């Protein structure tokens, strides 16, 4: 599967690396290729021999993606989807963000409005990123919860 991970922080880099380990094609999408966290991600990918991953600016990563993970701060999602919405239709979009300062923590309504043909999911936002790197607690697998909604046009 071709996955675009928007964001190079803890959640995006951890999930992207796990998907790479499982054989998926992962394209990390970032705003600033020179940012320190992007350089850290590139070093981790090299150290873990995950050199098939691509890292580029956001606009270059989305066209070929089947799945888009939004792993950016919750308050950044609104502006991000307003900029990217023409590229989101017919994609599976996973919103991993929470906006704890907003009246509504999720971005489903905005996503559904701007990308009505997308398949929307919210996941990876109820546990810390370290649980994605090692999904077990006291020897037991951890459950990851998600919610989904088909776009209005599908």
């Amino acid at each position: 599967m071709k996955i675009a991970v928007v964001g190079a922080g803890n959640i995006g880099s951890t999930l992207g690396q796990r998907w790479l380990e499982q054989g998926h094609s992962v394209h990390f999408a970032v705003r600033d290729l020179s940012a320190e966290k992007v350089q850290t991600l590139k070093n981790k990918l090299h150290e873990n021999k995950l050199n098939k991953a691509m890292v580029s600016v956001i606009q270059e990563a989305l066209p070929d993606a089947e799945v888009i993970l939004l792993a950016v701060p919750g308050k950044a999602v609104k502006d991000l989807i307003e900029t990217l919405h023409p590229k989101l239709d017919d994609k599976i979009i996973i919103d991993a963000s929470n906006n704890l300062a907003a009246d509504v923590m999720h971005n489903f309504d905005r996503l559904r409005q701007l990308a009505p043909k997308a398949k929307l999911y919210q996941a990876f936002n109820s546990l810390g990123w370290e649980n994605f790197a090692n999904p077990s607690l006291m020897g037991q697998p951890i459950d990851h919860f998600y919610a989904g909604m088909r776009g209005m046009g599908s």
Side-chain angles (χ1 to χ4, degrees), residues 4 57-68 80-93 111 114-118:
V57 293
I58 296 170
Q59 291 77 3
E60 293 175 13
L62 301 186
D64 292 333
E66 299 167 89
V67 175
I68 299 169
L80 181 68
I81 59 177
E82 287 177 354
T83 302
L84 299 176
H85 72 86
K87 298 177 184 197
L88 301 179
D89 275 347
D90 302 318
K91 309 278 186 185
I92 296 170
I93 301 171
L111 279 163
L114 292 174
K117 295 180 183 173

Side-chain angles (χ1 to χ4, degrees), residues 119-138:
K119 296 165 189 76
L120 308 176
Y121 295 89
Q122 185 157 27
F124 308 117
N125 64 333
S126 61
L127 292 173
W129 66 270
E130 63 279 355
N131 294 299
F132 308 132
N134 181 18
S136 71
L137 182 62
M138 299 187 323

Side-chain angles (χ1 to χ4, degrees), residues 5-8 28-35 37-38 41 55-59 61:
V5 175
V6 181
F28 291 93
V30 298
R31 285 183 301 158
D32 179 4
L33 288 169
S34 64
K37 66 182 172 183
V38 175
L41 170 62
V55 180
S56 70
V57 293
I58 296 170
Q59 291 77 3

